[in-house]
Amino acid sequence: MSDDDRGSSIAAVISLLCRNRDIAGRPSFDAIERISGDLAVGKVQVAGVAVERLAKSTVYDLLTQPRRRIPRWRQVESLWAVLVHIAQTTGRSTTGMAPLSEIHGRYQQLVQRPPMTGRRAGSPATHRLEVSDPPASTATGSDRAGSDQVTAQLAPGVAGDSSGLEGAGALLAGWDPASPHSPVSRVLAVKQRLKEAGQLTETTWWSQYADIVPCWFRAYLSVEPELAEIRTFAPHYLPGLLQIDDYARHIIATDLPDIDAGERERRVQLRMHRQHILRRPDRPTYWVVTTQRALYPPHLPPSVRRAQIKHLITMSIHQDFTLQLIDARVAERIHCGAMTVMRFAEPGYGDAVYLEQPGRGFYQCDGEDVAYHNVQFTRLASKARPRDETVALLLDLFGRLQP
């Protein structure tokens, strides 16, 4: 095959991947790197493909660079799988996506026998793949405080295995631990940042509320404005960043019935102040999985419920916000308790997880712990209603609640 013919065939493969990326909502290269890493560490298979971690530089090369060298098949199929996964978990239709069989056929024009390592026997290498939507379920300071074999099933008859995290060490392969952006250095950096953030009270934006902020929540409040991406699972109440003032007032009065009206209003003000980050031009990407019962806390007045649902519908207009509702019973079989996965805008910091339980909260920063909770969040999202179905349900509920 001549260089020109090879370049044309490679361009055909890249064109199909670019089309799939567009259908998936044009996720950033950073997002693809993170999600591929989560799936790789959790050993979650997508439509029979065992995903490998894709560095964002690799994704950039695959999707944007003219190339004469044939890309590795494992990279191609992993990128395909990640894009399908993103589309599925964000509620986008995959109908127009190029199936893996078509991409594989184009790839076969480049090499006589492409390597197929990492694929399970019987996976769709030579047969057309039908990508279908996953079955919809009937479904801090932000929430009150087990796992089954629920999998990221993204194609009929193909189930992934999300158990075990033995592969987490693979993320460290090829990194120089002394590098400021190595996984080891990034973990140490984020631990230090959270430690410092938890000790500051006089120089933080929330210093005027220091007397009502529990010690375990201080670090999170301090770093929340620094985050580029926030992913939250809130099983009992809506997260604080989404609560309207009357909803927050009701929740605070329910959980803390003995505080006086003045302190209750200050707590509401603090919660509303936190929401400023969602109105910034550079607001973080925000992804929430919550239960339908969070919309209906006990004794919440119908007028407040209607106003809260209207706010969620309005928020859903923004493309950088995703809300998914999950059946509470399904969620309980996957993960117990509220959690927030934090990704910093500063590349020198690793990801961290904030876990909240009644009367306490704590942080996890080590690679395997973070990877585990990333996989848990992915599993929750895969079992929740897709984004569009969630918005449709909210619109239906809003219409039923008369003003």
Side-chain angles (χ1 to χ4, degrees), residues 32-41 43-46 49-55 58-59 62 71-82 117-118 170-171:
I32 293 173
E33 178 184 53
R34 174 181 56 75
I35 293 170
S36 67
D38 295 345
L39 295 173
V41 171
K43 298 184 179 179
V44 178
Q45 293 195 353
V46 179
V49 175
V51 177
E52 73 172 30
R53 180 180 179 273
L54 299 169
T58 299
V59 179
L62 279 172
R72 289 194 301 111
W73 173 248
R74 291 285 291 116
Q75 293 175 342
V76 172
E77 68 170 356
S78 292
L79 179 55
W80 175 88
V82 171
T117 56
L171 290 176

Short mmCIF file of all heavy atoms in Angstrom, two decimals, residues 32-41 43-46 49-55 58-59 62 71-82 117-118 170-171:
data_model
loop_
_atom_site.label_atom_id
_atom_site.label_comp_id
_atom_site.label_asym_id
_atom_site.label_seq_id
_atom_site.Cartn_x
_atom_site.Cartn_y
_atom_site.Cartn_z
N ILE A 32 -11.75 12.24 28.14
CA ILE A 32 -11.51 10.91 27.56
C ILE A 32 -10.39 10.20 28.31
O ILE A 32 -10.47 9.00 28.60
CB ILE A 32 -11.20 11.02 26.07
CG1 ILE A 32 -12.45 11.51 25.30
CG2 ILE A 32 -10.74 9.68 25.50
CD1 ILE A 32 -12.19 11.82 23.84
N GLU A 33 -9.33 10.94 28.63
CA GLU A 33 -8.22 10.34 29.39
C GLU A 33 -8.71 9.85 30.75
O GLU A 33 -8.41 8.72 31.16
CB GLU A 33 -7.10 11.36 29.59
CG GLU A 33 -5.93 10.83 30.41
CD GLU A 33 -4.86 11.89 30.66
OE1 GLU A 33 -5.21 12.98 31.17
OE2 GLU A 33 -3.70 11.62 30.36
N ARG A 34 -9.49 10.69 31.45
CA ARG A 34 -9.96 10.31 32.79
C ARG A 34 -10.89 9.10 32.73
O ARG A 34 -10.72 8.13 33.49
CB ARG A 34 -10.70 11.48 33.44
CG ARG A 34 -11.33 11.11 34.78
CD ARG A 34 -12.07 12.28 35.39
NE ARG A 34 -13.09 12.79 34.49
CZ ARG A 34 -14.26 12.19 34.26
NH1 ARG A 34 -14.52 11.03 34.83
NH2 ARG A 34 -15.14 12.73 33.46
N ILE A 35 -11.85 9.13 31.83
CA ILE A 35 -12.83 8.06 31.78
C ILE A 35 -12.19 6.75 31.32
O ILE A 35 -12.49 5.68 31.85
CB ILE A 35 -14.01 8.46 30.87
CG1 ILE A 35 -14.78 9.62 31.52
CG2 ILE A 35 -14.94 7.28 30.62
CD1 ILE A 35 -15.81 10.26 30.62
N SER A 36 -11.28 6.83 30.35
CA SER A 36 -10.60 5.61 29.93
C SER A 36 -9.78 5.03 31.08
O SER A 36 -9.72 3.80 31.26
CB SER A 36 -9.70 5.88 28.71
OG SER A 36 -8.61 6.73 29.04
N GLY A 37 -9.15 5.90 31.87
CA GLY A 37 -8.40 5.42 33.03
C GLY A 37 -9.30 4.75 34.06
O GLY A 37 -8.96 3.71 34.62
N ASP A 38 -10.49 5.36 34.30
CA ASP A 38 -11.43 4.77 35.25
C ASP A 38 -11.87 3.37 34.78
O ASP A 38 -11.90 2.42 35.56
CB ASP A 38 -12.67 5.65 35.39
CG ASP A 38 -12.37 7.00 36.02
OD1 ASP A 38 -11.28 7.14 36.59
OD2 ASP A 38 -13.22 7.90 35.93
N LEU A 39 -12.21 3.27 33.51
CA LEU A 39 -12.66 1.98 32.98
C LEU A 39 -11.53 0.95 32.99
O LEU A 39 -11.76 -0.23 33.27
CB LEU A 39 -13.20 2.16 31.57
CG LEU A 39 -14.46 3.03 31.43
CD1 LEU A 39 -14.79 3.26 29.95
CD2 LEU A 39 -15.64 2.40 32.13
N ALA A 40 -10.32 1.39 32.68
CA ALA A 40 -9.19 0.46 32.66
C ALA A 40 -8.87 -0.06 34.06
O ALA A 40 -8.70 -1.26 34.26
CB ALA A 40 -7.96 1.15 32.06
N VAL A 41 -8.83 0.85 35.03
CA VAL A 41 -8.51 0.43 36.40
C VAL A 41 -9.60 -0.47 36.96
O VAL A 41 -9.33 -1.46 37.63
CB VAL A 41 -8.32 1.67 37.30
CG1 VAL A 41 -8.22 1.25 38.75
CG2 VAL A 41 -7.05 2.41 36.91
N LYS A 43 -11.46 -2.40 35.29
CA LYS A 43 -11.61 -3.57 34.43
C LYS A 43 -13.05 -3.68 33.91
O LYS A 43 -13.60 -4.78 33.79
CB LYS A 43 -11.20 -4.85 35.16
CG LYS A 43 -9.73 -4.86 35.57
CD LYS A 43 -9.33 -6.18 36.21
CE LYS A 43 -7.85 -6.19 36.58
NZ LYS A 43 -7.45 -7.45 37.23
N VAL A 44 -13.65 -2.54 33.64
CA VAL A 44 -15.00 -2.51 33.10
C VAL A 44 -14.93 -2.64 31.59
O VAL A 44 -14.28 -1.85 30.91
CB VAL A 44 -15.71 -1.18 33.47
CG1 VAL A 44 -17.11 -1.13 32.87
CG2 VAL A 44 -15.78 -1.02 34.98
N GLN A 45 -15.59 -3.65 31.05
CA GLN A 45 -15.61 -3.85 29.61
C GLN A 45 -16.82 -3.13 29.02
O GLN A 45 -17.90 -3.13 29.59
CB GLN A 45 -15.66 -5.33 29.26
CG GLN A 45 -14.39 -6.07 29.63
CD GLN A 45 -14.30 -7.43 28.97
OE1 GLN A 45 -15.24 -7.88 28.34
NE2 GLN A 45 -13.16 -8.09 29.14
N VAL A 46 -16.62 -2.50 27.89
CA VAL A 46 -17.68 -1.80 27.18
C VAL A 46 -17.94 -2.54 25.87
O VAL A 46 -17.08 -2.59 25.00
CB VAL A 46 -17.29 -0.34 26.89
CG1 VAL A 46 -18.41 0.37 26.13
CG2 VAL A 46 -16.99 0.41 28.19
N VAL A 49 -15.19 -4.78 24.87
CA VAL A 49 -13.85 -4.21 24.71
C VAL A 49 -13.26 -3.92 26.09
O VAL A 49 -13.86 -3.19 26.88
CB VAL A 49 -13.90 -2.91 23.88
CG1 VAL A 49 -12.52 -2.26 23.83
CG2 VAL A 49 -14.41 -3.18 22.47
N ALA A 50 -12.10 -4.49 26.36
CA ALA A 50 -11.37 -4.18 27.58
C ALA A 50 -10.59 -2.89 27.33
O ALA A 50 -9.58 -2.89 26.63
CB ALA A 50 -10.43 -5.31 27.95
N VAL A 51 -11.07 -1.81 27.89
CA VAL A 51 -10.52 -0.48 27.59
C VAL A 51 -9.14 -0.32 28.19
O VAL A 51 -8.89 -0.72 29.33
CB VAL A 51 -11.47 0.62 28.12
CG1 VAL A 51 -10.89 2.01 27.88
CG2 VAL A 51 -12.84 0.49 27.47
N GLU A 52 -8.23 0.28 27.42
CA GLU A 52 -6.93 0.66 27.98
C GLU A 52 -6.92 2.17 28.18
O GLU A 52 -7.65 2.92 27.53
CB GLU A 52 -5.79 0.23 27.07
CG GLU A 52 -5.62 1.03 25.80
CD GLU A 52 -4.34 0.66 25.05
OE1 GLU A 52 -3.86 -0.50 25.14
OE2 GLU A 52 -3.80 1.54 24.37
N ARG A 53 -6.09 2.61 29.11
CA ARG A 53 -6.00 4.04 29.40
C ARG A 53 -5.42 4.78 28.20
O ARG A 53 -4.40 4.38 27.64
CB ARG A 53 -5.14 4.29 30.64
CG ARG A 53 -4.98 5.76 31.01
CD ARG A 53 -4.11 5.90 32.26
NE ARG A 53 -3.94 7.29 32.62
CZ ARG A 53 -2.99 8.09 32.15
NH1 ARG A 53 -2.11 7.61 31.28
NH2 ARG A 53 -2.90 9.35 32.54
N LEU A 54 -6.08 5.87 27.83
CA LEU A 54 -5.65 6.69 26.70
C LEU A 54 -5.18 8.04 27.21
O LEU A 54 -5.98 8.82 27.75
CB LEU A 54 -6.81 6.88 25.71
CG LEU A 54 -7.38 5.61 25.07
CD1 LEU A 54 -8.68 5.93 24.35
CD2 LEU A 54 -6.37 4.99 24.12
N ALA A 55 -3.91 8.33 27.08
CA ALA A 55 -3.40 9.65 27.44
C ALA A 55 -4.03 10.68 26.52
O ALA A 55 -4.31 10.40 25.35
CB ALA A 55 -1.89 9.69 27.34
N THR A 58 -2.38 11.03 23.28
CA THR A 58 -2.72 9.96 22.34
C THR A 58 -4.05 10.24 21.65
O THR A 58 -4.18 10.07 20.43
CB THR A 58 -2.79 8.61 23.07
OG1 THR A 58 -1.52 8.32 23.66
CG2 THR A 58 -3.17 7.48 22.12
N VAL A 59 -5.03 10.69 22.43
CA VAL A 59 -6.34 11.02 21.86
C VAL A 59 -6.20 12.15 20.85
O VAL A 59 -6.80 12.12 19.77
CB VAL A 59 -7.33 11.39 22.98
CG1 VAL A 59 -8.70 11.74 22.38
CG2 VAL A 59 -7.47 10.25 23.98
N LEU A 62 -4.74 10.77 17.71
CA LEU A 62 -5.68 9.92 16.99
C LEU A 62 -6.74 10.73 16.24
O LEU A 62 -7.14 10.36 15.13
CB LEU A 62 -6.39 8.98 17.97
CG LEU A 62 -5.64 7.71 18.39
CD1 LEU A 62 -6.40 7.00 19.50
CD2 LEU A 62 -5.47 6.77 17.21
N PRO A 71 -2.13 3.51 13.60
CA PRO A 71 -2.30 3.50 15.05
C PRO A 71 -2.53 2.08 15.55
O PRO A 71 -2.98 1.19 14.80
CB PRO A 71 -3.56 4.36 15.26
CG PRO A 71 -4.31 4.24 13.98
CD PRO A 71 -3.27 4.13 12.90
N ARG A 72 -2.22 1.84 16.81
CA ARG A 72 -2.46 0.52 17.38
C ARG A 72 -3.96 0.25 17.45
O ARG A 72 -4.74 1.14 17.81
CB ARG A 72 -1.85 0.41 18.78
CG ARG A 72 -0.34 0.37 18.81
CD ARG A 72 0.18 -0.08 20.17
NE ARG A 72 -0.25 0.79 21.26
CZ ARG A 72 -1.10 0.44 22.19
NH1 ARG A 72 -1.69 -0.75 22.18
NH2 ARG A 72 -1.42 1.29 23.15
N TRP A 73 -4.36 -0.98 17.14
CA TRP A 73 -5.78 -1.32 17.18
C TRP A 73 -6.36 -1.17 18.58
O TRP A 73 -7.51 -0.74 18.76
CB TRP A 73 -6.00 -2.75 16.68
CG TRP A 73 -7.42 -3.20 16.85
CD1 TRP A 73 -7.90 -4.15 17.68
CD2 TRP A 73 -8.56 -2.65 16.17
NE1 TRP A 73 -9.27 -4.25 17.58
CE2 TRP A 73 -9.70 -3.33 16.65
CE3 TRP A 73 -8.73 -1.64 15.21
CZ2 TRP A 73 -10.98 -3.05 16.20
CZ3 TRP A 73 -10.00 -1.36 14.76
CH2 TRP A 73 -11.11 -2.05 15.26
N ARG A 74 -5.58 -1.50 19.61
CA ARG A 74 -6.08 -1.38 20.99
C ARG A 74 -6.45 0.07 21.30
O ARG A 74 -7.40 0.33 22.04
CB ARG A 74 -5.03 -1.89 21.98
CG ARG A 74 -4.81 -3.37 21.94
CD ARG A 74 -5.98 -4.14 22.62
NE ARG A 74 -5.97 -3.91 24.06
CZ ARG A 74 -6.91 -3.30 24.75
NH1 ARG A 74 -7.97 -2.78 24.14
NH2 ARG A 74 -6.82 -3.17 26.05
N GLN A 75 -5.68 1.02 20.79
CA GLN A 75 -6.02 2.42 20.99
C GLN A 75 -7.30 2.79 20.26
O GLN A 75 -8.16 3.49 20.81
CB GLN A 75 -4.87 3.32 20.52
CG GLN A 75 -3.60 3.20 21.33
CD GLN A 75 -2.47 4.03 20.74
OE1 GLN A 75 -2.52 4.41 19.57
NE2 GLN A 75 -1.45 4.30 21.54
N VAL A 76 -7.44 2.30 19.05
CA VAL A 76 -8.63 2.62 18.24
C VAL A 76 -9.89 2.07 18.91
O VAL A 76 -10.88 2.77 19.10
CB VAL A 76 -8.48 2.06 16.81
CG1 VAL A 76 -9.78 2.23 16.03
CG2 VAL A 76 -7.34 2.77 16.08
N GLU A 77 -9.86 0.78 19.28
CA GLU A 77 -11.07 0.19 19.85
C GLU A 77 -11.35 0.75 21.25
O GLU A 77 -12.51 0.88 21.65
CB GLU A 77 -10.98 -1.33 19.89
CG GLU A 77 -9.96 -1.91 20.85
CD GLU A 77 -10.10 -3.43 21.00
OE1 GLU A 77 -11.04 -4.00 20.40
OE2 GLU A 77 -9.28 -4.03 21.71
N SER A 78 -10.30 1.11 21.99
CA SER A 78 -10.52 1.71 23.30
C SER A 78 -11.17 3.07 23.18
O SER A 78 -12.09 3.41 23.94
CB SER A 78 -9.19 1.82 24.06
OG SER A 78 -8.68 0.56 24.42
N LEU A 79 -10.72 3.87 22.21
CA LEU A 79 -11.34 5.18 22.00
C LEU A 79 -12.79 5.02 21.57
O LEU A 79 -13.68 5.74 22.04
CB LEU A 79 -10.55 5.96 20.95
CG LEU A 79 -11.09 7.36 20.61
CD1 LEU A 79 -11.23 8.22 21.86
CD2 LEU A 79 -10.18 8.04 19.59
N TRP A 80 -13.05 4.06 20.68
CA TRP A 80 -14.43 3.80 20.28
C TRP A 80 -15.29 3.47 21.49
O TRP A 80 -16.39 4.00 21.67
CB TRP A 80 -14.46 2.64 19.28
CG TRP A 80 -15.86 2.22 18.91
CD1 TRP A 80 -16.64 2.71 17.90
CD2 TRP A 80 -16.65 1.21 19.56
NE1 TRP A 80 -17.86 2.08 17.89
CE2 TRP A 80 -17.90 1.15 18.90
CE3 TRP A 80 -16.42 0.36 20.64
CZ2 TRP A 80 -18.91 0.28 19.29
CZ3 TRP A 80 -17.44 -0.52 21.03
CH2 TRP A 80 -18.66 -0.55 20.35
N ALA A 81 -14.80 2.59 22.36
CA ALA A 81 -15.55 2.15 23.53
C ALA A 81 -15.81 3.30 24.50
O ALA A 81 -16.91 3.44 25.05
CB ALA A 81 -14.81 1.01 24.24
N VAL A 82 -14.80 4.13 24.72
CA VAL A 82 -14.97 5.27 25.63
C VAL A 82 -16.02 6.24 25.10
O VAL A 82 -16.86 6.75 25.86
CB VAL A 82 -13.62 5.99 25.85
CG1 VAL A 82 -13.82 7.30 26.62
CG2 VAL A 82 -12.65 5.09 26.60
N THR A 117 -5.73 -8.29 20.80
CA THR A 117 -5.56 -8.55 22.21
C THR A 117 -6.49 -7.67 23.00
O THR A 117 -6.76 -6.54 22.64
CB THR A 117 -4.11 -8.26 22.64
OG1 THR A 117 -3.80 -6.90 22.30
CG2 THR A 117 -3.14 -9.18 21.94
N GLY A 118 -6.94 -8.21 24.12
CA GLY A 118 -7.80 -7.43 25.00
C GLY A 118 -9.28 -7.62 24.69
O GLY A 118 -10.12 -7.12 25.40
N ALA A 170 -1.07 -0.12 36.97
CA ALA A 170 -0.74 0.13 35.56
C ALA A 170 -0.74 1.61 35.25
O ALA A 170 -0.07 2.06 34.32
CB ALA A 170 -1.73 -0.59 34.65
N LEU A 171 -1.49 2.39 36.03
CA LEU A 171 -1.52 3.82 35.77
C LEU A 171 -0.17 4.47 36.06
O LEU A 171 0.11 5.58 35.59
CB LEU A 171 -2.59 4.50 36.64
CG LEU A 171 -4.04 4.18 36.28
CD1 LEU A 171 -4.97 4.85 37.28
CD2 LEU A 171 -4.35 4.67 34.87
#
